[in-house]
Amino acid sequence: MLTKDGKFVDGICAKPAGCGVSVGRRSGHKGFFFFASPSRGADNSGNAYRLIAPQPKLDKVSGIYHKTKKLVLRLDSTAGKVHYTLDGTEPTAHSPLWKDSLVITESAVVRAYAEGDSSTMRSNTLTATFLLNEQHTLPVVCIAMNEADLYDYSHGIYAQGPGYNSEWPHMGANYWKNWTKDAHVEFFDGKDGFSLDCGIKIFGGFSRVEAKKSFCLKFKKKYGEGELSYDFFGQGEPVTLEDLVLRSGSQDYNRCMVRDEFFTSLMAAQSPTLLTQPYRPVALYINAKYFGLFYLRDKIDRDFVARRLNVSNDSITIIMSRGYQEEGNNIEYNKLISYITSHNMADKANYEYVKEKVDLPGLIDFKLGEIYSANTDVGNIRYVRSTDTGCDKKWYFVFYDLDATWVGDKPTASYYLSVAGEASEGNVSVHNRMINGLLANSEFRQLFLQRLSHHLHHTFTTKNTTKVFDGIVNVIRPEMKRNCERWPQLSYTTWEKNIVQFRKRFADRNKVMLNDLRQLLSITEKENQKYFGDLGY
């Protein structure tokens, strides 16, 4: 502790304490104590401890054990009696006492703590998951948490709960609450992996109403680690995250389980300035019980944008659908949209003004990705920008959440580019004001046609789309039978049929897209020959 002039007054060097434990002084006593019941704003009371008992240690590391009928576990503890559980529940004084050894004959998650004594607070909880004879070709994520925090009617994050509304989307249900529960996560990928306490909450928008829901893991200092650095996505380089998403497949979980990963991967490879999320498929266990195929994703937030733009995270503005600001403010965004809609973009000076403020190739790639995928959930838009000194301060675009694609009737290109007609029926036109205005400019039109030509020659070819698609499918196929058994809303046989039907669309989607744009943009014969003449369609 320092005074205003920097003079040292007081300080402490204390062992890291668990969530809910405070450190402070006690009236009439010298030195510092640990308190199991913090009393914020009041005198410290209740039991006070000078020390925290050391956490027990197991003689075996957590992980997957093959060809194992039973596992004998022994514990090393120097801090008194040890209480344990095997079902993921946080152990308490009422939990069984550990004896000489423990024999497990099926997958289990061991959680244990040492009692300590009158001057030593109970230890932090040891958590270790042991999966016996489980076969996976994917990395494995194991979550341990109190079962009631998931499914309890009153406070379980996965439950409908007392506020559930029978009318879709069931607002008021527990899974719509912004609740975070205590948990522990372990990651087994055949490398270092990781194991640490964290928070867990339900993640996503309307996908929350689906039977299979997504999660977000929170790495915060209250759990011991304020962030986590690891090669989450298998790209060979560590990434530092505060939030890690376990994506369920969202609205595609009962159809193909690949839509978002496929379309974002497709664009990422050929769109250098378009922001997309990396992914990694994993097998998820909760309390040592198989929970299905999920995808690791990083959360789209200011840290994600800062990493991609190589800027500071406190400089980030993120604008969502209809101009709502998620980070920063929408002043500059509104000014830009107002300028585009009130000025003739055919005028060179007006166009140059916008050109300095928007990543135009990224905007075009974003729209072409939406058109090719026939995405009907067009409200998933994020415009991002940094105000850092030295950066270009342009608006960039995030291409994400492609689960509502190639389903039912496909909108025409006007749905994504126009401000009238088809786009105005569902008030989608609000998302098209920027590109619709810019298309009046001849230079931008030629840039649009150049990017379209590039994607039709490279990104959207049947050869490339098949390669990208099959690459993802072949990785998750060994996991899909088990996933479909866990989530029977989709049978494995139906999944295989869906995959075949999805792949068939590669043959003509690019042709349909081009013919649609030829008509909408009144592409001239000269333009057609220049950009698309060698395509043969």
Side-chain angles (χ1 to χ4, degrees):
M1 184 182 298
L2 304 175
T3 61
K4 289 183 179 180
D5 60 0
K7 183 180 179 180
F8 178 80
V9 177
D10 200 358
I12 181 175
C13 181
K15 180 179 180 179
C19 184
V21 175
S22 65
V23 182
R25 296 190 184 277
R26 193 171 190 184
S27 179
H29 295 77
K30 294 182 179 180
F32 289 88
F33 295 84
F34 294 100
F35 298 91
S37 300
S39 52
R40 187 173 183 177
D43 289 339
N44 292 320
S45 59
N47 294 332
Y49 304 91
R50 291 292 190 182
L51 301 169
I52 297 177
Q55 184 175 287
K57 296 180 180 179
L58 286 168
D59 66 337
K60 290 181 174 61
V61 297
S62 58
I64 304 173
Y65 286 76
H66 300 291
K67 297 180 181 180
T68 304
K69 292 183 178 180
K70 67 178 182 180
L71 208 59
V72 180
L73 302 175
R74 290 180 174 82
L75 199 66
D76 178 16
S77 176
T78 59
K81 298 177 180 179
V82 173
H83 294 271
Y84 75 94
T85 61
L86 295 175
D87 61 358
T89 303
E90 177 77 26
T92 69
H94 302 291
S95 300
L97 284 171
W98 190 286
K99 298 182 180 179
D100 293 337
S101 63
L102 181 68
V103 179
I104 59 173
T105 57
E106 59 183 10
S107 296
V109 51
V110 177
R111 309 196 78 182
Y113 76 90
E115 282 187 352
D117 53 34
S118 60
S119 63
T120 306
M121 179 182 287
R122 58 162 281 181
S123 73
N124 294 330
T125 300
L126 157 76
T127 301
T129 302
F130 297 90
L131 301 180
L132 272 56
N133 305 310
E134 298 288 3
Q135 301 293 329
H136 297 285
T137 58
L138 301 177
V140 174
V141 173
C142 293
I143 303 293
M145 62 185 297
N146 291 335
E147 198 85 1
D149 284 341
L150 265 182
Y151 300 119
D152 181 80
Y153 178 75
S154 298
H155 65 267
I157 59 175
Y158 219 91
Q160 292 181 349
Y164 176 82
N165 186 328
S166 59
E167 184 178 346
W168 191 91
H170 317 304
M171 289 297 184
N174 289 5
Y175 47 74
W176 279 109
K177 307 291 186 184
N178 190 30
W179 291 346
T180 302
K181 303 294 183 177
D182 295 344
H184 187 94
V185 59
E186 296 171 276
F187 186 54
F188 309 131
D189 63 348
K191 298 180 181 179
D192 293 337
F194 54 82
S195 175
L196 75 164
D197 291 337
C198 63
I200 187 170
K201 63 190 299 184
I202 300 296
F203 177 81
F206 292 123
S207 63
R208 292 168 182 255
V209 307
E210 305 291 349
K212 186 183 181 188
K213 308 181 195 304
S214 300
F215 298 100
C216 181
L217 304 181
K218 313 285 290 184
F219 306 122
K220 295 186 178 297
K221 289 184 178 179
K222 64 178 290 187
Y223 304 111
E225 298 286 347
E227 58 187 20
L228 179 61
S229 294
Y230 194 76
D231 182 16
F232 297 101
F233 309 111
Q235 298 178 322
E237 294 290 337
V239 180
T240 301
L241 301 179
E242 295 182 5
D243 301 276
L244 179 64
V245 174
L246 283 161
R247 202 167 190 273
S248 64
S250 195
Q251 289 93 341
D252 191 36
Y253 90 99
N254 58 357
R255 295 194 297 256
C256 289
M257 275 288 292
V258 297
R259 278 176 163 82
D260 185 59
E261 292 71 29
F262 166 65
F263 285 116
T264 54
S265 297
L266 201 62
M267 296 304 295
Q270 297 291 337
S271 304
T273 62
L274 188 62
L275 277 58
T276 58
Q277 299 162 281
Y279 74 90
R280 193 177 191 181
V282 297
L284 175 64
Y285 284 78
I286 297 182
N287 294 337
K289 299 174 184 175
Y290 182 72
F291 210 74
L293 168 66
F294 283 71
Y295 289 97
L296 292 186
R297 307 297 287 264
D298 50 355
K299 185 181 178 184
I300 300 174
D301 56 16
R302 63 181 186 177
D303 293 327
F304 164 82
V305 177
R307 286 194 304 274
R308 294 301 306 274
L309 299 184
N310 195 28
V311 294
S312 62
N313 64 3
D314 59 358
S315 71
I316 299 300
T317 294
I318 303 178
I319 302 298
M320 298 182 67
S321 176
R322 303 184 188 280
Y324 167 74
Q325 67 268 24
E326 186 177 52
E327 296 286 351
N329 63 69
N330 60 7
I331 296 174
E332 291 301 317
Y333 169 80
N334 288 338
K335 284 171 59 176
L336 176 64
I337 296 298
S338 177
Y339 185 90
I340 292 173
T341 55
S342 62
H343 290 71
N344 182 5
M345 289 296 104
D347 182 273
K348 181 176 175 58
N350 295 339
Y351 176 69
E352 290 297 325
Y353 174 84
V354 175
K355 188 176 178 180
E356 291 300 312
K357 295 183 177 296
V358 179
D359 170 36
L360 297 183
L363 169 62
I364 293 169
D365 287 350
F366 172 81
K367 286 295 185 176
L368 292 178
E370 294 280 278
I371 295 170
Y372 179 79
S373 66
N375 185 23
T376 56
D377 197 1
V378 293
N380 290 320
I381 298 177
R382 276 185 167 96
Y383 310 82
V384 301
R385 177 176 179 263
S386 170
T387 56
D388 260 2
T389 302
C391 74
D392 60 20
K393 296 182 175 60
K394 287 184 178 182
W395 289 99
Y396 288 84
F397 305 86
V398 186
F399 187 59
Y400 72 104
D401 201 348
L402 280 295
D403 302 297
T405 50
W406 287 8
V407 179
D409 296 333
K410 300 179 184 65
T412 66
S414 66
Y415 187 75
Y416 306 95
L417 302 177
S418 302
V419 293
E422 184 181 11
S424 65
E425 293 177 6
N427 201 23
V428 174
S429 61
V430 67
H431 308 309
N432 300 339
R433 291 179 296 179
M434 183 182 294
I435 195 160
N436 183 263
L438 288 166
L439 280 168
N441 182 273
S442 60
E443 180 181 325
F444 183 81
R445 176 187 172 88
Q446 296 309 307
L447 179 61
F448 187 97
L449 295 179
Q450 288 170 11
R451 295 305 301 160
L452 174 59
S453 176
H454 174 83
H455 288 301
L456 289 174
H457 281 89
H458 300 281
T459 314
F460 303 144
T461 64
T462 302
K463 180 180 179 180
N464 186 59
T465 51
T466 302
K467 178 183 177 181
V468 173
F469 183 72
D470 286 352
I472 301 170
V473 169
N474 291 338
V475 170
I476 69 170
R477 178 175 274 115
E479 194 68 35
M480 281 305 298
K481 283 188 178 180
R482 186 86 179 271
N483 178 80
C484 292
E485 291 171 0
R486 175 60 182 84
W487 300 102
Q489 294 85 355
L490 174 66
S491 72
Y492 181 76
T493 301
T494 300
W495 177 76
E496 284 285 14
K497 290 179 179 177
N498 291 346
I499 292 300
V500 171
Q501 291 301 315
F502 196 94
R503 190 187 292 109
K504 286 180 179 178
R505 298 171 184 171
F506 299 155
D508 64 357
R509 179 58 192 161
N510 46 5
K511 302 172 188 176
V512 172
M513 176 183 180
L514 177 55
N515 287 331
D516 194 8
L517 286 166
R518 279 172 173 150
Q519 181 177 354
L520 177 67
L521 301 179
S522 299
I523 294 176
T524 67
E525 182 58 31
K526 183 178 179 180
E527 290 173 328
N528 187 66
Q529 286 301 315
K530 179 179 180 180
Y531 295 111
F532 317 113
D534 61 338
L535 289 174
Y537 54 84

